Amino acid sequence: MATPLDQIGDGDEKEMSFLDHLEELRWHLIRSVIAIIVFSIAAFISVDFVFNTIVFGPAKTDFWTFKMLCKLGDLINSSALCIEKLDFKIQSRQMTGQFTMHITSSFAIGIIAAFPYVFWEFWRFISPGLRMTERSVSRGAVASVTFLFTLGVLFGYFIMAPLAVSFLAGYQVSDIVNNEFDITSYVSTLSTLVLGSGMLFQLPMVVYFLSKIGIVTPELMRNYRRHAIVVILILGAVFTPPDPFSQILIAMPLLGLYQFSIFISARVQKNLRKKAEKNLKEI
């Protein structure tokens, strides 16, 4: 049963009708879409920087990641980490291919740039419906989600994307087959890796809320840790050059993310047990 303290701030929620909620949601969505459009237009205008620096950056051997890998290879005396050539070409086989990818790339950048604001709008819509206790445990949600998303995007762009490009560019089933990728395929792959990594890094927040409602427990995650390690190592093997060091390089952050999620779930369970014991003592 909710206490009077829990019901503070819920008065406006109860007075709003279903249509009022729809109207409120509509304006949150409109503002979110406007933010995405604004950033997308800015990216569309900056076509030279967007494509030559951002989009095609991981396809160049002078990309920051390849430089760091080469320096690391020099330190450990491993020439396998130094990527001196990316043997592939990017083509546009459709008349509207470049224009379509210009729009698609701009839209993807618009989503990434506007994500913190979009999530803030989403949070503003759902937070009035939360009880006071629920709001207290979810403080800092916007900052945490934004931080993890940004970290995931950077990981996807600077680690997963260049390693995937390097692997796919050098993969051949026969010497008579040349790698000539369509720009649509290249941009789609890059966008999927970067946005997917940003979503993947939300695992700690997802585990936090699922632990709060009792769906996920640290024991469950520990039991499936071996399965998670196998999946992560397979992903590392697929998206990295054929050497164990690169595989470990991409797998370690993902393993750390999973382990951190177990720690979060354990903390949540511990706090829930303390709260339950306190309530029993008061009874």
Side-chain angles (χ1 to χ4, degrees):
M1 181 179 296
T3 64
L5 182 61
D6 292 333
Q7 296 175 350
I8 294 177
D10 292 345
D12 296 337
E13 176 74 12
K14 295 179 180 178
E15 293 176 1
M16 294 180 66
S17 66
F18 177 72
L19 292 179
D20 291 332
H21 280 295
L22 288 180
E23 179 66 14
E24 185 72 14
L25 176 61
R26 185 172 74 92
W27 281 108
H28 284 294
L29 292 176
I30 288 175
R31 287 191 290 268
S32 299
V33 171
I34 290 175
I36 294 174
I37 291 175
V38 169
F39 282 107
S40 298
I41 291 175
F44 187 87
I45 295 173
S46 308
V47 56
D48 183 64
F49 174 77
V50 167
F51 274 90
N52 291 329
T53 303
I54 298 178
V55 176
F56 293 139
K60 301 177 181 178
T61 55
D62 61 350
F63 189 60
W64 180 85
T65 304
F66 296 138
K67 289 182 178 180
M68 294 301 104
L69 284 175
C70 198
K71 290 182 179 180
L72 185 59
D74 292 337
L75 291 176
I76 63 175
N77 295 322
S78 174
S79 60
L81 292 179
C82 195
I83 300 172
E84 299 177 353
K85 183 180 180 181
L86 295 173
D87 193 13
F88 74 99
K89 294 181 179 180
I90 299 178
Q91 297 183 349
S92 178
R93 293 184 174 87
Q94 298 178 357
M95 185 176 294
T96 59
Q98 295 196 52
F99 178 71
T100 302
M101 284 304 100
H102 188 185
I103 295 177
T104 303
S105 301
S106 301
F107 184 66
I109 292 175
I111 292 176
I112 293 173
F115 179 84
Y117 178 79
V118 171
F119 184 79
W120 180 67
E121 285 287 353
F122 171 76
W123 188 252
R124 286 180 59 199
F125 175 72
I126 67 171
S127 59
L130 300 177
R131 297 175 182 271
M132 186 64 68
T133 52
E134 293 171 333
R135 293 184 191 180
S136 64
V137 300
S138 58
R139 287 175 182 171
V142 176
S144 299
V145 168
T146 300
F147 172 76
L148 290 173
F149 180 78
T150 303
L151 196 64
V153 166
L154 293 176
F155 178 76
Y157 181 73
F158 286 102
I159 303 298
M160 293 190 68
L163 292 179
V165 169
S166 174
F167 169 76
L168 296 174
Y171 188 86
Q172 285 184 305
V173 295
S174 175
D175 293 337
I176 66 174
V177 181
N178 296 323
N179 283 329
E180 297 179 355
F181 305 138
D182 189 82
I183 187 173
T184 304
S185 175
Y186 175 83
V187 173
S188 298
T189 301
L190 183 66
S191 301
T192 301
L193 288 172
V194 174
L195 288 174
S197 182
M199 293 295 105
L200 181 65
F201 269 61
Q202 299 304 315
L203 178 63
M205 288 300 297
V206 173
V207 169
Y208 174 80
F209 286 109
L210 291 180
S211 298
K212 277 290 183 181
I213 59 180
I215 295 179
V216 172
T217 62
E219 291 77 17
L220 178 67
M221 296 191 69
R222 291 190 185 103
N223 291 336
Y224 283 93
R225 177 158 41 196
R226 293 182 180 178
H227 301 79
I229 292 174
V230 172
V231 172
I232 289 172
L233 289 176
I234 291 174
L235 291 175
V238 170
F239 291 114
T240 58
D243 66 275
F245 187 84
S246 297
Q247 182 180 355
I248 295 174
L249 184 67
I250 195 173
M252 288 301 293
L254 298 179
L255 290 173
L257 198 66
Y258 189 84
Q259 185 62 41
F260 182 61
S261 298
I262 296 177
F263 171 76
I264 289 178
S265 182
R267 287 294 300 270
V268 170
Q269 291 294 314
K270 182 179 179 180
N271 292 335
L272 289 176
R273 283 195 297 268
K274 286 184 178 179
K275 184 177 180 181
E277 291 174 358
K278 182 180 180 181
N279 292 335
L280 287 174
K281 290 180 179 180
E282 291 178 353
I283 294 175

